[in-house]
Amino acid sequence: MEVVICKTREEASKLAANMITAAVKKNPKLVLGLATGSTPVLMYTEMANAVKAKKVSYRQVKSWNLDEYVGLAGTHDQSYRYFMNENLFKKIDIKLANTHVLNGLAEDVDKECRAYEAQIKKAGGIDIQVLGIGSDGHIAFNEPGTSLKSRTSCVYLTPSTIRDNARLFFKGKEKDVPTRALSMGVGTICEAKKCILLAFGKGKADAIKGCVEGPMSQFCTASALQAHNDCWIFCDEAAASKLKLKKYYAWRSATKLGI
Ligand code: GLP
């Protein structure tokens, strides 16, 4: 696990976007796993800037998103499909037909989840998985108590996640946040060839501590990434503030990145 600690979230977002841009340039048919939430927005803007500057093209890239709320249509302005269209897909040259988000309105959710996993497998697996982290240490919507080998399934959100997600989305109305979601599993995520996790602000400091230095435990599902052999954590100083070895991680990752 490499922990890149930047002074600002802008700097961290730029470095993470550069890593993705370089990978797409190298392999124009890259398979991306994408995440929602407020955290990756700046990185998505940087990725779009690279497309605008004609540094890279996403015409042959395929993407699969981590999760979607149960009960929301993709046209709902709080759905993750809508979020992705607005914050990334409309701003880059990816073909919308090559982008995949779980269907929150699927009648048979198990069938939907099984089909999603089969699609990813058929595409050759995810090359780079983008991740945010919940304040309770979740990745995608894999809440505390979820098996670290879990597969894509219908999951139940904790009251704290509902509260967190209402703060920035759903116009602050907790009662409007769905209580269930379809989510890639921890096991599914860990099969990606590379993972890039972003975390900003002091509200993520405990989660990052658990993810990087905590015991590997289903109580902090991001800690499963400790067993991944190509996982990069891009964070600001506030999110890294509780790490015991932060100076060492910062030096090591900066040396590897040549920055
Ligand atoms: C939701 C998403 C996660 C995301 C988290 C953090 O729970 N399912 O994928 O990482 O929110 O969101 P934010 O980046 O807004 O803090």
Side-chain angles (χ1 to χ4, degrees), residues 25-78:
K25 271 169 106 170
K26 200 166 164 208
N27 173 13
K29 292 186 173 177
L30 200 85
V31 178
L32 272 179
L34 295 171
T36 49
S38 53
T39 308
V41 171
L42 274 173
M43 184 188 76
Y44 290 156
T45 305
E46 291 294 338
M47 286 162 63
N49 288 343
V51 173
K52 241 182 265 161
K54 301 209 182 311
K55 285 188 192 152
V56 68
S57 168
Y58 285 75
R59 264 192 302 270
Q60 299 181 80
V61 168
K62 289 183 178 157
S63 74
W64 274 266
N65 256 79
L66 285 171
D67 43 19
E68 179 60 284
Y69 290 113
V70 166
L72 297 194
T75 47
H76 190 289
D77 66 359
Q78 297 301 321

Side-chain angles (χ1 to χ4, degrees), residues 239-254:
S241 60
K242 296 198 174 170
L243 294 175
K244 228 190 231 168
L245 295 185
K246 63 184 171 208
K247 279 194 183 144
Y248 168 69
Y249 306 138
W251 165 74
R252 190 177 69 186
S253 60

Side-chain angles (χ1 to χ4, degrees), residues 35-40 66-67 80 131-134 138-141 161 165 168-169 204:
T36 49
S38 53
T39 308
L66 285 171
D67 43 19
Y80 282 171
L131 297 160
I133 189 166
H138 71 240
I139 44 173
F141 266 132
T161 294
N165 290 3
L168 286 161
F169 302 96
K204 298 291 170 76

Side-chain angles (χ1 to χ4, degrees), residues 11-242:
E11 206 184 312
S13 303
K14 212 171 255 181
L15 286 176
N18 287 349
M19 197 173 254
I20 295 176
T21 301
V24 177
K25 271 169 106 170
K26 200 166 164 208
N27 173 13
K29 292 186 173 177
L30 200 85
V31 178
L32 272 179
L34 295 171
T36 49
S38 53
T39 308
V41 171
L42 274 173
M43 184 188 76
Y44 290 156
T45 305
E46 291 294 338
M47 286 162 63
N49 288 343
V51 173
K52 241 182 265 161
K54 301 209 182 311
K55 285 188 192 152
V56 68
S57 168
Y58 285 75
R59 264 192 302 270
Q60 299 181 80
V61 168
K62 289 183 178 157
S63 74
W64 274 266
N65 256 79
L66 285 171
D67 43 19
E68 179 60 284
Y69 290 113
V70 166
L72 297 194
T75 47
H76 190 289
D77 66 359
Q78 297 301 321
S79 73
Y80 282 171
R81 159 54 80 183
Y82 187 93
F83 177 97
M84 289 310 300
N85 289 351
E86 294 303 309
N87 287 287
L88 184 66
F89 300 151
K90 280 185 182 173
K91 299 179 177 175
I92 59 175
D93 57 350
I94 198 166
K95 289 183 185 145
L96 211 55
N98 283 345
T99 69
H100 305 81
V101 182
L102 283 149
N103 177 10
L105 292 185
E107 269 181 32
D108 185 339
V109 290
D110 292 337
K111 194 171 159 202
E112 171 70 11
C113 294
R114 273 198 308 274
Y116 205 68
E117 293 246 353
Q119 286 170 3
I120 294 171
K121 204 169 171 194
K122 200 170 161 208
I126 288 172
D127 292 306
I128 300 185
Q129 177 66 60
V130 175
L131 297 160
I133 189 166
S135 56
D136 61 2
H138 71 240
I139 44 173
F141 266 132
N142 294 293
E143 298 284 33
T146 303
S147 159
L148 300 186
K149 289 188 173 173
S150 64
R151 309 302 306 182
T152 305
S153 65
C154 180
V155 299
Y156 295 75
L157 310 191
T158 58
S160 82
T161 294
I162 290 174
R163 220 172 17 250
D164 282 352
N165 290 3
R167 211 178 301 140
L168 286 161
F169 302 96
F170 293 95
K171 299 184 179 112
K173 287 188 187 153
E174 264 179 54
K175 67 166 183 40
D176 290 347
V177 182
T179 53
R180 290 186 305 154
L182 302 184
S183 173
M184 271 192 207
V186 183
T188 320
I189 292 167
C190 289
E191 280 170 10
K193 290 162 198 120
K194 183 194 274 296
C195 289
I196 291 180
L197 185 147
L198 304 168
F200 307 132
K202 63 175 189 320
K204 298 291 170 76
D206 284 322
I208 286 298
K209 169 84 183 154
C211 167
V212 180
E213 294 180 341
M216 202 197 288
S217 146
Q218 64 176 10
F219 200 68
C220 170
T221 55
S223 67
L225 295 167
Q226 289 173 17
H228 195 284
N229 64 6
D230 192 10
C231 176
W232 290 76
I233 313 280
F234 289 89
C235 53
D236 61 5
E237 287 175 351
S241 60
K242 296 198 174 170

